[in-house]
Amino acid sequence: MTQGWVRAAEDFTEQADVTNWPARVVLTLVVLALIGLAVWGMARGWRARAARQSDVPPPAATPEGFRADTLPPVPGVYLASTRAGDWLDRVVVHGLGVRSRARLSVGTAGLVLERDGAADVYVPAADLRGVRLDRGIAGAVYERGGLVVLTWDLGPTTLDTGFRADRTDDHVAVVAAVRALVDTPHPDPA
């Protein structure tokens, strides 16, 4: 009887092969290759979209001495810009498709979105076409009235730009300030 216990104890001391290392290495390389292929495809698609949007001019630079005399900076998130009327057609040229922290300021000359890590977006008052509270832009969807959408002309292209304030109470103030700019007649700059 003790002989059975000794044999059982010897069985426990033997190491069993638990890993097939060659198969594990191959599977790891396949997964890494698939991830690399996906990243390459996304980068290629982003560059192709930018090439298709080469007709969109860069936004104007913020004028020297711009004053936020209508609405002081409102902190929030710049979501993206899309072609007006198509909330999924993200515009990627000139950094307009880059989501970033931002502060939106409104003055009598227009509005500026000061973005962290990306170029600021200045919209002259004469180029503003409308403003509204909406639910989504460029694949980002929020509650009803969860973001401000600014409609404006960038050269021959009309854009919708999404901004979500940190405090949703600020959305009403942003819409009121921008609507006042839209409703004010502006002389043609030409």
Side-chain angles (χ1 to χ4, degrees):
M1 185 139 151
T2 56
Q3 210 173 28
W5 287 101
V6 171
R7 193 173 319 134
E10 289 173 358
D11 289 344
F12 283 120
T13 60
E14 291 181 21
Q15 298 258 339
D17 287 337
V18 291
T19 304
N20 183 352
W21 285 106
R24 180 163 290 197
V25 169
V26 168
L27 287 174
T28 301
L29 292 175
V30 167
V31 168
L32 290 175
L34 288 174
I35 291 171
L37 185 63
V39 169
W40 174 79
M42 288 187 290
R44 186 169 182 221
W46 192 269
R47 285 191 304 271
R49 180 180 288 265
R52 285 191 309 271
Q53 296 171 347
S54 63
D55 62 324
V56 177
T62 305
E64 233 9 80
F66 175 83
R67 288 186 22 230
D69 50 6
T70 306
L71 182 69
V74 174
V77 178
Y78 170 90
L79 297 168
S81 290
T82 64
R83 292 190 190 263
D86 188 354
W87 72 287
L88 292 175
D89 188 13
R90 182 188 301 258
V91 175
V92 300
V93 293
H94 314 299
L96 293 172
V98 177
R99 179 183 172 122
S100 56
R101 292 286 307 155
R103 287 155 308 287
L104 186 144
S105 305
V106 180
T108 54
L111 66 87
V112 66
L113 285 152
E114 299 172 79
R115 302 189 301 160
D116 298 341
D120 294 347
V121 176
Y122 171 68
V123 181
D127 292 344
L128 283 166
R129 295 295 165 249
V131 61
R132 68 184 185 276
L133 293 176
D134 212 330
R135 294 185 65 167
I137 192 163
V141 181
Y142 299 96
E143 71 279 3
R144 185 181 312 269
L147 64 107
V148 176
V149 176
L150 309 161
T151 302
W152 56 291
D153 292 334
L154 181 56
T157 308
T158 303
L159 300 177
D160 284 339
T161 296
F163 176 77
R164 181 171 169 88
D166 288 344
R167 294 176 357 132
T168 55
D169 297 343
D170 290 337
H171 289 166
V172 175
V174 169
V175 168
V178 174
R179 189 163 285 142
L181 277 181
V182 171
D183 293 342
T184 303
H186 302 282
D188 282 335

